[in-house]
Protein backbone atom coordinates (compact mmCIF):
# COMPACT_ATOMS: atom_id res chain seq x y z
CA UNK A 1 0.00 0.00 0.00
CA UNK A 2 2.75 2.43 0.99
CA UNK A 3 4.66 1.63 -2.19
CA UNK A 4 1.57 2.25 -4.34
CA UNK A 5 0.91 5.51 -2.47
CA UNK A 6 4.46 6.75 -3.18
CA UNK A 7 4.15 5.86 -6.85
CA UNK A 8 0.80 7.68 -7.15
CA UNK A 9 2.26 10.71 -5.35
CA UNK A 10 5.17 10.84 -7.76
CA UNK A 11 2.81 10.61 -10.72
CA UNK A 12 0.63 13.42 -9.37
CA UNK A 13 3.68 15.63 -8.73
CA UNK A 14 5.01 15.00 -12.22
CA UNK A 15 1.64 15.91 -13.74
CA UNK A 16 1.61 19.17 -11.78
CA UNK A 17 5.14 20.05 -12.83
CA UNK A 18 4.70 19.43 -16.54
CA UNK A 19 2.68 22.57 -17.51
CA UNK A 20 5.03 25.03 -15.74
CA UNK A 21 7.37 25.76 -18.68
CA UNK A 22 4.40 26.48 -20.95
CA UNK A 23 2.87 28.83 -18.40
CA UNK A 24 6.17 30.67 -17.96
CA UNK A 25 6.60 31.01 -21.73
CA UNK A 26 3.08 32.34 -22.05
CA UNK A 27 3.72 34.98 -19.38
CA UNK A 28 6.88 36.15 -21.13
CA UNK A 29 5.06 36.53 -24.41
CA UNK A 30 2.21 38.36 -22.72
CA UNK A 31 4.61 40.83 -21.07
CA UNK A 32 6.43 41.39 -24.34
CA UNK A 33 3.14 42.08 -26.08
CA UNK A 34 2.05 44.47 -23.34
CA UNK A 35 5.14 46.66 -23.82
CA UNK A 36 4.55 47.00 -27.57
CA UNK A 37 0.77 47.35 -27.65
CA UNK A 38 -0.20 50.52 -29.51
CA UNK A 39 -3.48 52.42 -29.73
CA UNK A 40 -4.74 55.53 -31.50
CA UNK A 41 -7.14 58.35 -30.59
CA UNK A 42 -8.96 60.34 -33.27
CA UNK A 43 -11.76 62.88 -33.57
CA UNK A 44 -13.53 63.29 -36.90
CA UNK A 45 -16.23 65.80 -37.75
CA UNK A 46 -18.20 63.59 -40.15
CA UNK A 47 -18.02 59.93 -41.07
CA UNK A 48 -17.82 58.76 -44.66
CA UNK A 49 -15.99 56.14 -46.72
CA UNK A 50 -12.71 57.96 -46.08
CA UNK A 51 -13.14 57.49 -42.33
CA UNK A 52 -13.97 53.84 -42.95
CA UNK A 53 -10.73 53.44 -44.94
CA UNK A 54 -8.80 55.22 -42.16
CA UNK A 55 -10.11 52.79 -39.54
CA UNK A 56 -9.55 49.59 -41.53
CA UNK A 57 -6.04 50.65 -42.60
CA UNK A 58 -4.80 51.09 -39.05
CA UNK A 59 -6.44 47.93 -37.79
CA UNK A 60 -4.91 45.97 -40.68
CA UNK A 61 -1.36 47.24 -40.03
CA UNK A 62 -1.57 45.98 -36.45
CA UNK A 63 -2.90 48.79 -34.25
CA UNK A 64 -4.12 46.97 -31.16
CA UNK A 65 -6.99 49.31 -30.35
CA UNK A 66 -8.49 52.47 -31.83
CA UNK A 67 -10.68 55.03 -30.08
CA UNK A 68 -12.55 57.15 -32.63
CA UNK A 69 -14.84 60.01 -31.63
CA UNK A 70 -17.48 61.03 -34.17
CA UNK A 71 -18.69 64.60 -33.85
CA UNK A 72 -21.86 63.90 -35.84
CA UNK A 73 -24.45 61.83 -33.91
CA UNK A 74 -26.23 60.85 -37.15
CA UNK A 75 -23.35 58.93 -38.75
CA UNK A 76 -24.50 56.06 -40.96
CA UNK A 77 -21.44 53.80 -40.60
CA UNK A 78 -22.21 53.11 -36.95
CA UNK A 79 -23.76 49.69 -37.60
CA UNK A 80 -20.74 48.51 -39.61
CA UNK A 81 -18.02 49.74 -37.28
CA UNK A 82 -19.49 49.36 -33.80
CA UNK A 83 -19.04 45.57 -33.66
CA UNK A 84 -15.29 45.54 -34.40
CA UNK A 85 -13.60 44.32 -31.18
CA UNK A 86 -10.47 46.45 -31.59
CA UNK A 87 -12.43 49.67 -32.15
CA UNK A 88 -14.15 51.82 -29.54
CA UNK A 89 -16.69 53.89 -31.44
CA UNK A 90 -18.07 56.93 -29.59
CA UNK A 91 -20.78 59.27 -30.87
CA UNK A 92 -20.30 62.74 -29.39
CA UNK A 93 -23.71 64.36 -28.94
CA UNK A 94 -24.57 67.14 -26.49
CA UNK A 95 -25.43 64.70 -23.69
CA UNK A 96 -22.03 63.00 -24.04
CA UNK A 97 -20.19 66.33 -23.85
CA UNK A 98 -22.22 67.36 -20.80
CA UNK A 99 -21.43 64.06 -19.08
CA UNK A 100 -17.68 64.17 -19.78
CA UNK A 101 -16.96 67.91 -19.82
CA UNK A 102 -19.87 69.52 -17.97
CA UNK A 103 -20.69 71.77 -20.93
CA UNK A 104 -20.89 71.81 -24.71
CA UNK A 105 -17.37 72.59 -26.05
CA UNK A 106 -16.90 76.13 -27.33
CA UNK A 107 -14.29 75.27 -29.99
CA UNK A 108 -12.47 72.41 -31.70
CA UNK A 109 -9.44 72.67 -29.39
CA UNK A 110 -11.58 71.89 -26.33
CA UNK A 111 -13.20 68.97 -28.18
CA UNK A 112 -9.80 67.51 -29.11
CA UNK A 113 -8.45 67.86 -25.59
CA UNK A 114 -11.54 66.30 -23.99
CA UNK A 115 -11.45 63.34 -26.36
CA UNK A 116 -7.71 62.92 -25.87
CA UNK A 117 -8.00 62.81 -22.07
CA UNK A 118 -10.93 60.38 -22.26
CA UNK A 119 -9.22 58.20 -24.87
CA UNK A 120 -6.00 57.91 -22.87
CA UNK A 121 -7.97 56.59 -19.90
CA UNK A 122 -9.76 54.04 -22.09
CA UNK A 123 -6.52 52.78 -23.64
CA UNK A 124 -4.79 52.52 -20.27
CA UNK A 125 -7.52 50.14 -19.13
CA UNK A 126 -6.79 47.99 -22.17
CA UNK A 127 -3.11 47.84 -21.19
CA UNK A 128 -1.98 49.85 -24.22
CA UNK A 129 1.66 50.93 -23.88
CA UNK A 130 1.95 53.45 -26.75
CA UNK A 131 -0.59 55.98 -28.06
CA UNK A 132 -0.75 58.11 -31.21
CA UNK A 133 -3.16 61.03 -31.60
CA UNK A 134 -4.16 61.05 -35.27
CA UNK A 135 -6.41 63.07 -37.54
CA UNK A 136 -8.71 61.11 -39.83
CA UNK A 137 -6.57 62.24 -42.78
CA UNK A 138 -3.36 60.82 -41.24
CA UNK A 139 -1.81 57.38 -41.76
CA UNK A 140 0.92 55.75 -39.72
CA UNK A 141 3.31 54.02 -42.12
CA UNK A 142 6.20 51.61 -41.49
CA UNK A 143 8.03 49.23 -43.80
CA UNK A 144 8.04 46.51 -41.09
CA UNK A 145 5.35 45.68 -38.50
CA UNK A 146 5.21 48.49 -35.97
CA UNK A 147 5.43 46.07 -33.02
CA UNK A 148 8.90 45.02 -34.22
CA UNK A 149 10.02 48.64 -34.03
CA UNK A 150 8.52 49.20 -30.57
CA UNK A 151 10.29 46.08 -29.26
CA UNK A 152 13.62 47.88 -29.81
CA UNK A 153 12.65 50.99 -27.80
CA UNK A 154 14.27 51.27 -24.37
CA UNK A 155 12.03 51.33 -21.32
CA UNK A 156 13.20 54.82 -20.33
CA UNK A 157 11.89 56.40 -23.57
CA UNK A 158 8.70 58.38 -22.97
CA UNK A 159 8.02 59.74 -26.46
CA UNK A 160 8.92 58.89 -30.05
CA UNK A 161 8.88 61.68 -32.63
CA UNK A 162 8.07 60.35 -36.08
CA UNK A 163 8.84 61.55 -39.62
CA UNK A 164 6.07 63.77 -41.03
CA UNK A 165 5.40 63.73 -44.76
CA UNK A 166 2.72 65.65 -46.69
CA UNK A 167 0.92 63.91 -49.56
CA UNK A 168 0.71 65.59 -52.97
CA UNK A 169 -1.96 65.04 -55.57
CA UNK A 170 -1.32 62.72 -58.49
CA UNK A 171 -3.32 61.30 -61.38
CA UNK A 172 -6.37 59.29 -60.34
CA UNK A 173 -6.91 61.03 -57.03
CA UNK A 174 -10.25 62.44 -58.18
CA UNK A 175 -11.69 58.93 -58.13
CA UNK A 176 -12.04 56.87 -54.98
CA UNK A 177 -11.10 57.92 -51.46
CA UNK A 178 -8.60 60.44 -50.20
CA UNK A 179 -5.75 57.97 -49.65
CA UNK A 180 -4.80 57.62 -53.31
CA UNK A 181 -1.44 59.38 -53.44
CA UNK A 182 1.82 57.49 -52.92
CA UNK A 183 4.02 60.60 -53.25
CA UNK A 184 4.97 62.58 -50.14
CA UNK A 185 6.91 65.76 -49.44
CA UNK A 186 9.60 65.41 -46.81
CA UNK A 187 10.13 69.14 -46.01
CA UNK A 188 13.58 68.54 -44.47
CA UNK A 189 14.53 70.67 -41.51
CA UNK A 190 17.96 71.42 -42.98
CA UNK A 191 17.70 71.17 -46.79
CA UNK A 192 20.95 70.88 -48.73
CA UNK A 193 21.96 73.24 -51.55
CA UNK A 194 20.23 71.24 -54.28
CA UNK A 195 17.00 71.01 -52.29
CA UNK A 196 17.02 74.75 -51.59
CA UNK A 197 17.44 75.44 -55.31
CA UNK A 198 14.57 73.10 -56.30
CA UNK A 199 12.33 74.57 -53.57
CA UNK A 200 13.04 78.05 -54.89
CA UNK A 201 12.17 76.98 -58.45
CA UNK A 202 8.99 75.04 -57.60
CA UNK A 203 7.57 77.14 -54.78
CA UNK A 204 8.96 80.60 -55.57
CA UNK A 205 5.51 82.26 -55.85
CA UNK A 206 4.34 81.09 -52.44
CA UNK A 207 7.65 80.75 -50.61
CA UNK A 208 6.77 83.48 -48.15
CA UNK A 209 3.63 81.62 -47.09
CA UNK A 210 4.67 78.00 -47.43
CA UNK A 211 8.22 77.93 -46.10
CA UNK A 212 8.26 75.72 -42.98
CA UNK A 213 4.78 76.80 -41.99
CA UNK A 214 1.06 76.41 -42.33
CA UNK A 215 1.07 74.33 -45.50
CA UNK A 216 3.45 71.64 -44.23
CA UNK A 217 3.39 69.06 -41.45
CA UNK A 218 7.01 69.35 -40.40
CA UNK A 219 6.40 68.84 -36.68
CA UNK A 220 4.19 65.85 -37.29
CA UNK A 221 3.13 63.83 -34.31
CA UNK A 222 4.54 61.57 -31.62
CA UNK A 223 3.94 58.18 -30.11
CA UNK A 224 3.80 58.63 -26.36
CA UNK A 225 3.61 56.30 -23.39
CA UNK A 226 0.10 55.78 -22.09
CA UNK A 227 1.47 56.44 -18.59
CA UNK A 228 2.73 59.91 -19.57
CA UNK A 229 1.17 63.11 -18.30
CA UNK A 230 -0.79 64.84 -21.02
CA UNK A 231 0.51 68.14 -22.39
CA UNK A 232 -2.62 70.28 -22.55
CA UNK A 233 -1.30 72.67 -25.20
CA UNK A 234 -0.43 70.08 -27.85
CA UNK A 235 -3.28 67.62 -28.47
CA UNK A 236 -1.63 66.43 -31.72
CA UNK A 237 1.72 65.89 -30.03
CA UNK A 238 1.06 65.09 -26.38
CA UNK A 239 3.66 63.68 -24.06
CA UNK A 240 4.98 63.97 -20.55
CA UNK A 241 5.14 67.36 -18.88
CA UNK A 242 8.09 66.26 -16.73
CA UNK A 243 11.45 67.55 -17.87
CA UNK A 244 13.13 64.17 -17.46
CA UNK A 245 11.03 62.63 -20.23
CA UNK A 246 13.34 61.13 -22.83
CA UNK A 247 12.36 61.67 -26.48
CA UNK A 248 13.84 59.93 -29.50
CA UNK A 249 13.33 60.35 -33.24
CA UNK A 250 12.62 57.26 -35.33
CA UNK A 251 13.07 57.62 -39.09
CA UNK A 252 11.36 54.25 -39.68
CA UNK A 253 7.94 55.47 -38.48
CA UNK A 254 6.16 57.90 -40.81
CA UNK A 255 3.10 60.08 -40.41
CA UNK A 256 1.51 60.48 -43.85
CA UNK A 257 -0.77 63.52 -43.96
CA UNK A 258 -3.43 63.70 -46.71
CA UNK A 259 -4.56 67.30 -46.50
CA UNK A 260 -4.24 67.58 -50.28
CA UNK A 261 -7.30 65.61 -51.33
CA UNK A 262 -9.51 68.63 -52.00
CA UNK A 263 -9.31 72.41 -52.00
CA UNK A 264 -12.58 72.65 -50.06
CA UNK A 265 -11.24 70.40 -47.28
CA UNK A 266 -7.99 72.36 -47.02
CA UNK A 267 -9.72 75.75 -46.98
CA UNK A 268 -12.36 74.64 -44.48
CA UNK A 269 -9.78 73.19 -42.13
CA UNK A 270 -7.71 76.34 -42.00
CA UNK A 271 -10.77 78.56 -41.82
CA UNK A 272 -11.77 76.74 -38.63
CA UNK A 273 -8.35 76.72 -36.98
CA UNK A 274 -6.41 79.70 -38.28
CA UNK A 275 -7.66 82.06 -35.54
CA UNK A 276 -6.36 79.65 -32.91
CA UNK A 277 -2.95 79.57 -34.63
CA UNK A 278 -2.60 83.35 -34.75
CA UNK A 279 -3.84 83.90 -31.18
CA UNK A 280 -1.94 81.08 -29.45
CA UNK A 281 1.00 82.30 -27.31
CA UNK A 282 2.97 79.21 -28.39
CA UNK A 283 2.87 80.09 -32.10
CA UNK A 284 6.20 81.24 -33.51
CA UNK A 285 6.42 84.65 -35.17
CA UNK A 286 7.12 83.21 -38.63
CA UNK A 287 4.17 80.84 -38.49
CA UNK A 288 1.98 83.62 -37.13
CA UNK A 289 2.83 85.84 -40.12
CA UNK A 290 2.11 83.02 -42.59
CA UNK A 291 -1.22 82.22 -40.92
CA UNK A 292 -2.14 85.91 -40.93
CA UNK A 293 -1.59 86.07 -44.70
CA UNK A 294 -3.81 83.07 -45.30
CA UNK A 295 -6.49 84.44 -43.00
CA UNK A 296 -6.50 87.72 -44.95
CA UNK A 297 -7.21 85.82 -48.18
CA UNK A 298 -9.97 83.79 -46.49
CA UNK A 299 -11.64 86.82 -44.83
CA UNK A 300 -11.48 88.88 -48.03
CA UNK A 301 -12.85 86.02 -50.13
CA UNK A 302 -9.79 86.02 -52.37
CA UNK A 303 -10.46 82.61 -53.88
CA UNK A 304 -8.09 83.15 -56.79
CA UNK A 305 -5.05 83.59 -54.54
CA UNK A 306 -6.08 80.74 -52.24
CA UNK A 307 -6.54 78.33 -55.16
CA UNK A 308 -3.16 79.39 -56.58
CA UNK A 309 -1.46 78.67 -53.25
CA UNK A 310 -3.26 75.32 -52.90
CA UNK A 311 -2.45 74.14 -56.41
CA UNK A 312 1.20 75.14 -56.34
CA UNK A 313 1.75 73.52 -52.95
CA UNK A 314 -0.29 70.32 -53.33
CA UNK A 315 -0.58 69.80 -57.10
CA UNK A 316 2.90 70.02 -58.70
CA UNK A 317 3.17 69.29 -62.42
CA UNK A 318 4.74 66.08 -63.74
CA UNK A 319 8.01 67.95 -64.42
CA UNK A 320 7.98 69.45 -60.92
CA UNK A 321 7.40 66.01 -59.36
CA UNK A 322 10.41 64.59 -61.24
CA UNK A 323 12.58 67.45 -59.96
CA UNK A 324 11.31 66.96 -56.42
CA UNK A 325 11.90 63.18 -56.57
CA UNK A 326 15.40 63.72 -57.99
CA UNK A 327 16.35 66.14 -55.21
CA UNK A 328 14.88 63.96 -52.45
CA UNK A 329 12.17 66.47 -51.51
CA UNK A 330 9.50 63.92 -52.46
CA UNK A 331 9.54 60.20 -51.66
CA UNK A 332 7.39 57.34 -52.89
CA UNK A 333 5.84 54.82 -50.50
CA UNK A 334 4.25 51.50 -51.40
CA UNK A 335 0.87 51.07 -49.71
CA UNK A 336 -1.26 48.02 -50.50
CA UNK A 337 -4.79 49.27 -51.37
CA UNK A 338 -6.22 46.14 -49.74
CA UNK A 339 -5.24 47.57 -46.34
CA UNK A 340 -8.15 50.01 -46.62
CA UNK A 341 -10.71 47.19 -46.75
CA UNK A 342 -11.90 44.82 -43.99
CA UNK A 343 -9.47 41.89 -43.89
CA UNK A 344 -8.02 40.96 -40.52
CA UNK A 345 -9.48 44.06 -38.88
CA UNK A 346 -12.14 42.11 -37.07
Amino acid sequence: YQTAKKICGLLVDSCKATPEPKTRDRKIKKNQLKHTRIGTISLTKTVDQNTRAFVYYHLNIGIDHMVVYFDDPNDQLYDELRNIPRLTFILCNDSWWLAKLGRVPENIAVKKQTCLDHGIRLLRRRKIAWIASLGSDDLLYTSVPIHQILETVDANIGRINVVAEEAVRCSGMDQGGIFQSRLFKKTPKHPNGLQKLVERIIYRRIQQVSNQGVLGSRKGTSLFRSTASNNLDKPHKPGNNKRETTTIIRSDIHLLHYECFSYEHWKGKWKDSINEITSSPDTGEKLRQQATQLRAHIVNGNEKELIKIYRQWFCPSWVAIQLLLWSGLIVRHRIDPRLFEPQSAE
Side-chain angles (χ1 to χ4, degrees), residues 16-34:
K16 289 180 179 178
T18 302
E20 286 184 3
K22 294 183 179 179
T23 305
R24 193 179 299 114
D25 289 343
R26 192 180 304 118
K27 286 182 179 179
I28 292 172
K29 290 179 181 178
K30 184 177 180 181
N31 289 336
Q32 288 173 345
L33 178 63
K34 188 183 299 183

Side-chain angles (χ1 to χ4, degrees), residues 30-276:
K30 184 177 180 181
N31 289 336
Q32 288 173 345
L33 178 63
K34 188 183 299 183
H35 292 306
T36 62
R37 283 173 61 83
I38 178 171
T40 64
I41 301 171
S42 303
L43 169 66
T44 181
K45 181 178 279 189
T46 58
V47 177
D48 52 22
Q49 293 303 317
N50 296 324
T51 311
R52 178 181 181 272
F54 165 80
V55 168
Y56 282 126
Y57 170 85
H58 286 99
L59 293 176
N60 283 325
I61 66 168
I63 298 300
D64 294 289
H65 200 84
M66 299 182 71
V67 183
V68 182
Y69 298 86
F70 296 107
D71 204 17
D72 182 354
N74 299 313
D75 291 315
Q76 298 179 353
L77 289 176
Y78 180 76
D79 290 336
E80 177 182 351
L81 300 178
R82 66 175 176 172
N83 294 320
I84 298 177
R86 289 189 289 138
L87 172 67
T88 297
F89 182 97
I90 297 175
L91 295 174
C92 301
N93 51 26
D94 288 351
S95 60
W96 189 86
W97 291 119
L98 290 171
K100 301 303 178 185
L101 185 62
R103 67 183 190 278
V104 176
E106 54 272 22
N107 55 50
I108 188 63
V110 175
K111 289 182 178 181
K112 287 181 178 179
Q113 192 59 57
T114 304
C115 293
L116 185 63
D117 293 339
H118 184 260
I120 290 173
R121 292 194 296 271
L122 290 179
L123 292 176
R124 281 175 181 166
R125 294 192 203 118
R126 293 183 175 272
K127 303 189 185 303
I128 295 295
W130 291 97
I131 298 175
S133 175
L134 302 177
S136 58
D137 55 0
D138 294 330
L139 299 181
L140 281 177
Y141 173 81
T142 58
S143 56
V144 299
I146 195 166
H147 294 96
Q148 291 184 19
I149 297 173
L150 295 178
E151 283 175 0
T152 66
V153 178
D154 292 338
N156 67 321
I157 301 300
R159 185 168 62 200
I160 304 173
N161 289 350
V162 306
V163 178
E165 295 170 348
E166 187 82 42
V168 297
R169 291 184 69 86
C170 58
S171 60
M173 280 192 67
D174 292 331
Q175 289 83 36
I178 69 172
F179 303 113
Q180 300 293 311
S181 181
R182 300 295 181 261
L183 299 174
F184 302 89
K185 287 188 296 185
K186 295 181 69 174
T187 57
K189 188 173 184 179
H190 302 291
N192 57 39
L194 174 62
Q195 291 171 335
K196 288 180 180 179
L197 176 62
V198 173
E199 278 187 331
R200 196 153 46 239
I201 294 171
I202 304 299
Y203 303 120
R204 63 188 182 278
R205 293 181 182 175
I206 58 169
Q207 190 71 19
Q208 188 179 7
V209 176
S210 65
N211 186 30
Q212 303 181 20
V214 173
L215 301 179
S217 291
R218 171 166 296 179
K219 292 185 178 179
T221 192
S222 297
L223 308 183
F224 62 97
R225 296 276 187 186
S226 60
T227 54
S229 301
N230 187 10
N231 187 327
L232 300 179
D233 296 324
K234 297 181 179 179
H236 238 325
K237 196 175 184 178
N240 198 316
N241 287 326
K242 298 180 181 179
R243 292 185 179 181
E244 61 268 22
T245 299
T246 304
T247 300
I248 61 171
I249 300 173
R250 293 296 297 246
S251 59
D252 48 0
I253 306 177
H254 304 258
L255 175 77
L256 308 182
H257 187 210
Y258 282 84
E259 190 166 299
C260 65
F261 72 92
S262 78
Y263 167 72
E264 291 75 17
H265 168 79
W266 172 77
K267 178 187 171 184
K269 180 176 180 179
W270 288 110
K271 187 176 181 180
D272 291 340
S273 60
I274 210 161
N275 286 334
E276 296 172 23

Side-chain angles (χ1 to χ4, degrees), residues 220-342:
T221 192
S222 297
L223 308 183
F224 62 97
R225 296 276 187 186
S226 60
T227 54
S229 301
N230 187 10
N231 187 327
L232 300 179
D233 296 324
K234 297 181 179 179
H236 238 325
K237 196 175 184 178
N240 198 316
N241 287 326
K242 298 180 181 179
R243 292 185 179 181
E244 61 268 22
T245 299
T246 304
T247 300
I248 61 171
I249 300 173
R250 293 296 297 246
S251 59
D252 48 0
I253 306 177
H254 304 258
L255 175 77
L256 308 182
H257 187 210
Y258 282 84
E259 190 166 299
C260 65
F261 72 92
S262 78
Y263 167 72
E264 291 75 17
H265 168 79
W266 172 77
K267 178 187 171 184
K269 180 176 180 179
W270 288 110
K271 187 176 181 180
D272 291 340
S273 60
I274 210 161
N275 286 334
E276 296 172 23
I277 293 174
T278 53
S279 62
S280 172
D282 297 323
T283 303
E285 184 58 31
K286 190 169 189 178
L287 179 57
R288 192 188 309 278
Q289 291 175 2
Q290 294 161 356
T292 300
Q293 291 180 54
L294 280 180
R295 181 173 63 177
H297 289 316
I298 292 173
V299 171
N300 296 329
N302 196 340
E303 292 288 323
K304 187 176 180 180
E305 285 300 316
L306 285 171
I307 291 173
K308 185 188 296 184
I309 291 172
Y310 171 81
R311 285 179 175 170
Q312 191 167 11
W313 186 252
F314 292 113
C315 312
S317 66
W318 182 88
V319 173
I321 284 178
Q322 303 313 306
L323 275 173
L324 292 164
L325 282 168
W326 175 61
S327 65
L329 287 169
I330 278 184
V331 294
R332 190 189 305 272
H333 292 308
R334 297 183 181 276
I335 304 175
D336 189 339
R338 292 175 296 180
L339 291 173
F340 298 101
E341 296 296 332

